Amino acid sequence: MGAWHELPLWDDDTWDEAAPAEVASAIARPEPATVESVVVAEVPTESVSPGPCAGPLGVFDLETTGIDVRSDRIVSAHVGVLDASGAVIDARTWLADPGVEIPAGATAVHGITTERARTEGRPAAEVVAEVTATLRDLFAAGIPVVAYNAPFDFSLLKYEGIRHGVAPIESPSPVIDPLVVDKTYDRYRRGKRTLEVVAAHYSVALEGAHDAAADAIAAGRVAQAIAARFDLDVSAHDLHTQQVAWARAQAESLTEYFVRIGRLDADVDGSWPIR
């Protein structure tokens, strides 16, 4: 289990107003789907819509060996692009050999075993370099990237970059984090805020949760659904700036909750979208 400052514990788990986060359940998954590798098409800058989620919209997700962004490793990754309707324009999914054993608990979440990663996965350094370069290209084109609980994925990618000699993206922007936006616009809704729960709330289909591609695409469509429901009309860059403050305020609220229940050692890092 990670330290309190590393909450949320998994890349789509968080807390609600009544209770702290719980570790993702170790649910056995069916045979993992084949990992495909499709080059992300270049999207012309002039085609970027002015709205925050109208499209083209980048999506990003990692599946990993665990919950510690500093020491755990990438097992699979997905970067894609959605159009204004939520349809996939182009995407790429990577399977990596993390170079370490994948714990049984992590395998129970995403379905990828150490044996499969070693047999089918590419060297971690190559995967980290390509994921980083693909995201960097999207940001350079001005395309916002959706990541659910963004500090987990971007921070873990950063530390993987440092580990493998790949220059990390120090300040990813613009980023859209449906977890932060949802908690801001619907703060008092009870219950968990996992991607599965939030996707269902916004009537977004999510089949094969904890698959990097499925999670990334669902997160992008959730972001679009939130923007439509609450009529968000700010630019992606303005929304990015707002989320920095919102994430900090949410972390402060969580810290206050922990203090109220006697967890005086709680130290929730409100840095966003990367730590």
Side-chain angles (χ1 to χ4, degrees), residues 41-211:
E42 181 178 352
V43 181
T45 304
E46 59 269 22
S47 69
V48 177
S49 301
C53 299
L57 187 66
V59 295
F60 169 47
D61 186 73
L62 298 176
E63 298 300 329
T64 66
T65 60
I67 60 176
D68 189 323
V69 298
R70 293 171 177 80
S71 63
D72 279 306
R73 311 296 179 89
I74 294 172
V75 176
S76 66
H78 182 86
V79 179
V81 181
L82 308 182
D83 67 12
S85 71
V88 177
I89 298 173
D90 274 305
R92 184 168 182 178
T93 297
W94 294 260
L95 178 64
D97 175 1
V100 299
E101 292 282 334
I102 300 174
T107 296
V109 172
H110 51 59
I112 301 171
T113 63
T114 300
E115 180 181 6
R116 182 181 174 212
R118 288 176 176 171
T119 302
E120 302 176 21
R122 295 176 54 209
E126 293 180 8
V127 171
V128 171
E130 291 178 12
V131 172
T132 301
T134 303
L135 288 168
R136 200 185 300 276
D137 288 346
L138 291 177
F139 289 129
I143 297 172
V145 175
V146 174
Y148 198 88
N149 190 13
F152 179 89
D153 298 274
F154 281 108
S155 299
L156 198 146
L157 179 63
K158 177 183 79 172
Y159 286 106
E160 278 277 65
I162 293 170
R163 182 175 298 114
H164 294 291
V166 177
I169 303 172
E170 296 291 349
S171 300
S173 177
V175 172
I176 298 172
D177 188 338
L179 175 59
V180 172
V181 180
D182 177 55
K183 284 194 65 65
T184 297
Y185 279 87
D186 200 355
R187 178 178 179 182
Y188 297 106
R189 188 176 79 246
R190 307 278 303 176
K192 290 185 177 182
R193 304 275 178 146
T194 64
L195 177 57
E196 290 175 88
V197 170
V198 175
H201 178 74
Y202 288 100
S203 301
V204 171
L206 173 54
E207 297 181 2
H210 297 295
D211 169 82

Side-chain angles (χ1 to χ4, degrees), residues 259-273:
V259 170
R260 288 201 306 272
I261 66 173
R263 295 185 183 273
L264 302 181
D265 60 338
D267 180 17
V268 183
D269 190 341
S271 302
W272 184 94

